Amino acid sequence: QVQLVESGGGSVQAGGSLRLSCEGSRSTVSRVYMGWFRQAPGKEREWVASIRRFDGSTYYADSAQGRFKVSRDNAQGTVSLQMNSLKPEDTAMYYCAAQGPSGGLYSDIGSYVFWGQGTQVTVSS
């Protein structure tokens, strides 16, 4: 069953921007952390950013810091990832995820149990 659904991926030129959105049920987006992960071909899935649902605190991987911004709309049950100054190395499948009942560290992929199907982001040149 689909727990979360991402959208907004696409192809852009280096330096461009994309805004990804993640829709889910209230039960999935009400967990302590909602996270964004990405996976490029031949590489492990890596953490990009997370947001703490109750206060909106955000956390970013070094690769995303200063360029990406994660936000949420609790009423709509959505989480977004604004990606600016995109680089070719940002090319990957991006996934939205929610932690399980036990919670965990915001960057711990093992603590996330609900996942979307992914949306492709391709950055050229």
Side-chain angles (χ1 to χ4, degrees):
Q1 298 182 127
V2 177
Q3 304 294 327
L4 300 164
V5 179
E6 305 96 334
S7 63
S11 299
V12 298
Q13 296 291 115
S17 300
L18 282 174
R19 185 178 179 85
L20 308 183
S21 295
C22 174
E23 298 183 36
S25 66
R26 188 177 184 86
S27 63
T28 57
V29 300
S30 65
R31 307 306 172 95
V32 177
Y33 291 106
M34 291 291 294
W36 284 97
F37 297 80
R38 67 187 183 187
Q39 186 168 28
K43 296 185 178 181
E44 295 184 349
R45 191 168 298 184
E46 64 178 4
W47 171 70
V48 176
S50 293
I51 184 166
R52 193 155 61 192
R53 61 94 176 166
F54 63 87
D55 66 355
S57 295
T58 57
Y59 307 86
Y60 299 93
D62 290 342
S63 61
Q65 186 67 242
R67 299 188 299 124
F68 294 4
K69 294 187 69 176
V70 62
S71 60
R72 90 275 191 253
D73 186 326
N74 290 339
Q76 295 184 336
T78 60
V79 177
S80 298
L81 182 68
Q82 178 67 45
M83 305 186 293
N84 300 319
S85 301
L86 284 163
K87 306 174 181 179
E89 51 263 46
D90 293 318
T91 296
M93 185 73 75
Y94 283 71
Y95 299 88
C96 177
Q99 286 188 321
S102 297
L105 188 66
Y106 55 79
S107 61
D108 179 17
I109 191 171
S111 70
Y112 291 81
V113 299
F114 301 102
W115 295 83
Q117 83 287 354
T119 185
Q120 180 67 40
V121 171
T122 302
V123 185
S124 61
S125 300

